[in-house]
Structures are given as C-alpha cells and as structure tokens.
C-alpha cells in the first residue's frame, strides 16, 4: 500500500513540476520559432495569466513533494502548521491575483485585443488549477480515479483543502 502511495505521490510531484518546465520551454520556443505567436505570447495579459498558472502549478508540485517526504519518513499526518500556514497564505495570494485577472478579463473584453482568447484559455487554466488544489479535486487521471469519482457520486474536497480546513479550525 505504502509503495503504491509513494508511486502516486512521485507521479503527482514530478508531473506538476514537469508541466511547469515544459510549458515554459514551449512558450519560449513558440516565440522563437513562430513569428505569428509573438503578439499572443508577449502581451502583458497573456504573460500575466501564464505566470499565474506557473505559480499555481509550482504550489501543487511543492505540496505533493511535501506529502512524498512525509510518506518516506513514515508520517501519515497533516503537514506541519508552518507549511499549512504557507499554503493558506498562498491561497490568499492566488485569490488576489485571480481577482486582478478578472479585471484584466474585463479590460480585455472591452478592448478586444488579438490575444483575448489566449489570455482567457490561460486564465481559466489557472483558475481550474487553483480550484483543484485549494477546493475540490478536479483531476481524475486513471481508471481507478474515475471509478472512485463514480462511487462517491461527485467531486470531493481536495487533499490540501481538507488539511487547510483542519488547520484553520
């Protein structure tokens, strides 16, 4: 059982970190290789949404790394208060940054720039990742995960959300 949990945590931790690096690499490569992509990828709004997405993905990777370290040390408890306080603060920072993103969206709708749809895609991706980590588990990648979703008849609180709930009580 513990071996399976370790494998899952390694997959989650490295998968999120890999996504951060691959997204950044692809961003730069597209700018360098495809001239048509420059207005979309170098606009302030698209850069804002992209950096926000990367920031949230890094938080997820860090969380899964901490959980992996706990399992490796045979600790099956909540994260320490110091780390949970960090995640509670990151959640508030994210929500502030997402609120700024809403205002950027409104500005984008009014001005109708060329990069509007790219910004919306990135911004919604960031919103979904924030919800996935801090509120409700939205990611179901394996057949077992999907069977679990059907069994529980709906979404459940994310692991980090549960830990933050117990910390903030």
């Amino acid at each position: 059982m513990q071996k399976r949990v370790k494998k899952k945590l390694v997959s989650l931790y490295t998968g999120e970190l890999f996504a951060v690096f691959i997204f950044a690499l692809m961003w730069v490569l597209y700018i360098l290789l495809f001239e048509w992509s420059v207005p979309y990828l170098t606009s302030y709004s698209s850069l804002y949404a992209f950096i926000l997405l990367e920031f949230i993905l890094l938080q997820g990777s860090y969380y899964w790394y901490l959980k992996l370290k706990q399992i490796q040390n045979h600790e099956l408890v909540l994260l320490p208060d110091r780390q949970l306080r960090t995640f509670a603060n990151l959640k508030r920072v994210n929500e502030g940054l997402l609120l700024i993103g809403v205002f950027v969206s409104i500005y984008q709708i009014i001005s109708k720039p060329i990069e509007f749809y790219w910004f919306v895609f990135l911004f919604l991706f960031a919103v979904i990742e924030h919800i996935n980590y801090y509120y409700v588990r939205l990611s179901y990648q394996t057949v077992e995960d999907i069977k679990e979703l059907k069994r529980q008849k709906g979404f459940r609180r994310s692991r980090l959300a549960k830990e933050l709930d117990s910390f903030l009580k």
Side-chain angles (χ1 to χ4, degrees):
M1 167 90 169
Q2 190 175 13
K3 191 173 187 175
R4 195 173 82 215
V5 171
K6 275 186 190 178
K7 184 178 177 184
K8 179 77 170 174
L9 290 172
V10 167
S11 172
L12 289 167
Y13 154 61
T14 58
E16 297 296 319
L17 196 56
F18 182 75
V20 168
F21 289 113
I22 290 299
F23 290 170
L25 177 65
M26 289 183 65
W27 191 276
V28 171
L29 286 175
Y30 262 74
I31 290 171
L32 295 174
L33 298 175
F34 303 110
E35 190 175 317
W36 60 264
S37 72
V38 173
Y40 300 99
L41 301 180
T42 60
S43 72
Y44 291 122
S45 58
S46 292
L47 284 169
Y48 181 81
F50 180 70
I51 291 168
L52 178 59
L53 173 61
E54 293 279 280
F55 180 58
I56 294 171
L57 287 172
L58 281 171
Q59 292 169 43
S61 180
Y62 181 56
Y63 175 73
W64 295 121
Y65 170 78
L66 293 174
K67 294 308 286 183
L68 175 63
K69 289 299 167 197
Q70 277 189 315
I71 293 293
Q72 289 173 339
N73 294 331
H74 305 290
E75 299 170 8
L76 300 174
V77 295
L78 302 175
L79 290 176
D81 286 353
R82 177 181 52 82
Q83 292 170 344
L84 288 172
R85 188 173 300 109
T86 298
F87 281 105
N89 290 333
L90 286 169
K91 179 181 176 184
R92 282 191 287 278
V93 168
N94 290 350
E95 289 168 351
L97 294 172
L98 289 168
L99 183 61
I100 291 169
V102 169
F103 289 113
V104 172
S105 300
I106 293 167
Y107 173 76
Q108 293 276 355
I109 290 169
I110 293 168
S111 64
K112 297 182 182 163
I114 190 170
E115 72 278 355
F116 174 73
Y117 295 108
W118 186 239
F119 164 78
V120 169
F121 169 73
L122 291 169
F123 184 68
L124 289 177
F125 194 172
V127 168
I128 289 167
E129 286 298 329
H130 176 74
I131 291 168
N132 185 49
Y133 294 135
Y134 290 98
Y135 292 98
V136 179
R137 180 180 176 198
L138 299 174
S139 177
Y140 296 87
Q141 301 165 346
T142 65
V143 173
E144 292 82 28
D145 289 343
I146 294 168
K147 286 179 183 175
E148 178 187 338
L149 176 64
K150 286 180 183 179
R151 250 191 336 270
Q152 65 197 20
K153 296 184 178 156
F155 298 111
R156 64 182 169 130
R157 299 279 292 158
S158 69
R159 194 174 303 236
L160 177 56
K162 289 177 188 175
E163 289 194 48
L164 286 173
D165 287 347
S166 66
F167 169 70
L168 296 172
K169 287 183 182 179

